[in-house]
Amino acid sequence: MNSAQPQGAVTEIRDGMELGEFLRWGRDLHHQGRYEDAARAFELILGVDADNQEALIGRNRAVRCSVPRWHWEMLHDEERAELYDRAIRQAVAAAPDSLVLDIGAGSGLLAMMAARAGAREVVACEGQASVAETAARVVRVAGYDDAVGVVSKMSTRMTVPGDLPRRAGLLVTEIVDCGLLGEGILGTIAHAREHLLTPDATIMPSRGRIIAQLVESEPLHRKNHVGKLYGFDLAPFNRLSTLEYFDSRLHRHEHRTLSEPVTVFEFDFYTADARPQRTELTVRPTAAGKMHAIAFWFEMELLPGIVVDNAPGHDSHWKQAIQCLPVPLHVQPDLPVSLVAAHDGECVRFEVESEEVVA
């Protein structure tokens, strides 16, 4: 059997064809990294033999590889949910007849919040096929399938009237990572403004900003760098270290802040696009020390007065973004640090303009 889905696969299984061949097909797809296809292959078997343990495990392994585990932590983030719910209720009350578009719907939670708030028509789009299928089930079980429709497609491939009956008057989305831009929010909203929304649509979130701080933390630096250990020089392994940021909870690592937080970028989602930006910052240290990393986070204004953030110490499912310096920099209050911050529409990266380093 080749790696493409065979014609009449379900019929062949029902006619008594050897299940082992279909199991091997699913495993082969998984090993190729085609996790969505692997999940569908195992689903074919489960459609005939619902208790087949190999197929159940195979499907679950494929889903685990394609569905990030942060979904569950996000769903338990009560503050995030309460803030979005409040903003959605306010926006829907102002225009209950508006079509609501939820981009990156995940479980369908925000779409159902809109329906519960009184929205008569909601379209939830989700680009990950197995998540979209599950969201449709969640919506149906919750009793909102009369108001909420789930589209299994990236929003940038949606059209009016092909996928939306008309342009939406309210956009709700939360396609952000710990550094705000990593899930493509700038380009996605810009595309929606042009192709999917009415000219006067409400966009949620409406604004965002990225905030950064200089940090001393040997434990954080060790998460991305190595030197001499166990009698060996392992430094060449650093060619594989992260050049950009990784996520981590700052308060769980011994650290010392070396500056006040500074605003790096601000975005108005009613006008912003994904074109790269670059800015130069002068940061004055508040204490002397070794600067190992730059920690940064975001604030998102959903509607005026309703703000979601992932600042350090905040009990949010989002962690902070951490970019380590290749080599620590010695800083002191009388010597400002020159930073260059840039983003390519999806990822923020910092460079330190200084030659003074600490080995």
Side-chain angles (χ1 to χ4, degrees):
M1 183 179 297
N2 60 40
S3 61
Q5 181 172 318
Q7 294 292 324
V10 175
T11 301
E12 291 176 10
I13 296 175
R14 287 174 177 164
D15 288 343
M17 191 174 184
E18 176 58 48
L19 292 183
E21 188 174 355
F22 282 84
L23 288 168
R24 287 191 294 274
W25 173 49
R27 288 194 293 268
D28 183 51
L29 290 169
H30 186 106
H31 293 153
Q32 292 177 38
R34 296 170 58 183
Y35 304 121
E36 287 285 343
D37 290 337
R40 283 193 287 268
F42 291 118
E43 284 282 359
L44 287 174
I45 298 171
L46 293 171
V48 176
D49 181 6
D51 296 322
N52 187 292
Q53 289 300 304
E54 288 189 64
L56 285 167
I57 294 298
R59 180 184 63 180
N60 186 255
R61 287 176 179 171
V63 168
R64 279 159 40 202
C65 289
S66 58
V67 180
R69 305 308 302 168
W70 48 253
H71 276 282
W72 284 263
E73 189 174 1
M74 177 181 67
L75 289 171
H76 285 285
D77 188 339
E78 294 184 8
E79 182 181 27
R80 162 254 185 198
E82 290 172 0
L83 289 170
Y84 261 93
D85 192 34
R86 190 200 318 170
I88 288 169
R89 287 178 183 274
Q90 183 175 321
V92 170
D97 293 325
S98 289
L99 172 64
V100 179
L101 173 61
D102 175 10
I103 292 180
S107 67
L109 177 63
L110 302 185
M112 291 188 297
M113 285 179 173
R116 183 175 64 185
R120 296 174 176 83
E121 193 171 7
V122 183
V123 174
C125 79
E126 169 56 52
Q128 214 277 343
S130 58
V131 175
E133 178 187 355
T134 304
R137 293 184 184 183
V138 171
V139 169
R140 183 170 60 253
V141 169
Y144 285 105
D145 50 330
D146 58 336
V148 179
V150 179
V151 175
S152 181
K153 185 180 288 189
M154 298 291 288
S155 68
T156 50
R157 301 183 64 185
M158 293 178 71
T159 61
V160 178
D163 302 295
L164 286 173
R166 61 188 184 280
R167 286 179 174 255
L170 170 60
L171 169 65
V172 178
T173 189
E174 193 204 46
I175 49 170
V176 298
D177 71 340
C178 63
L180 185 65
L181 307 185
E183 293 187 15
I185 190 170
L186 290 177
T188 297
I189 292 182
H191 175 273
R193 290 197 314 263
E194 182 176 356
H195 299 283
L196 307 175
L197 304 180
T198 62
D200 60 347
T202 297
I203 296 174
M204 184 186 306
S206 59
R207 303 183 65 85
R209 69 176 181 136
I210 295 173
I211 303 159
Q213 190 169 34
L214 311 185
V215 172
E216 177 181 83
S217 178
E218 182 69 32
L220 277 177
H221 200 259
R222 290 173 64 173
K223 288 174 71 74
N224 202 47
H225 293 87
V226 67
K228 293 182 179 179
L229 287 174
Y230 321 117
F232 301 98
D233 183 3
L234 303 177
F237 198 75
N238 291 333
R239 68 185 295 270
L240 303 178
S241 64
T242 302
L243 294 177
E244 298 175 313
Y245 62 86
F246 55 89
D247 65 339
S248 194
R249 297 195 187 279
L250 187 59
H251 74 273
R252 293 185 179 175
H253 300 84
E254 183 179 352
H255 72 280
R256 191 163 62 100
T257 59
L258 299 177
S259 74
E260 295 294 331
V262 295
T263 296
V264 180
F265 291 112
E266 295 189 79
F267 305 97
D268 179 345
F269 292 125
Y270 284 89
T271 58
D273 57 37
R275 284 177 294 185
Q277 288 183 283
R278 182 179 185 275
T279 186
E280 296 181 2
L281 304 167
T282 299
V283 181
R284 190 169 298 277
T286 54
K290 288 184 180 181
M291 175 184 165
H292 292 100
I294 298 165
F296 60 104
W297 57 94
F298 66 78
E299 290 182 355
M300 283 196 308
E301 183 180 77
L302 304 183
L303 292 178
I306 305 178
V307 177
V308 174
D309 72 82
N310 65 327
H314 197 164
D315 188 18
S316 165
H317 80 277
W318 288 292
K319 302 173 186 178
Q320 288 74 55
I322 308 293
Q323 182 184 322
C324 288
L325 274 63
V327 181
L329 171 71
H330 179 74
V331 301
Q332 55 189 43
D334 59 340
L335 290 176
V337 175
S338 296
L339 295 181
V340 174
H343 75 76
D344 59 3
E346 293 188 357
C347 189
V348 176
R349 187 177 177 191
F350 294 88
E351 293 181 6
V352 180
E353 294 192 332
S354 176
E355 297 181 357
E356 184 177 1
V357 298
V358 178

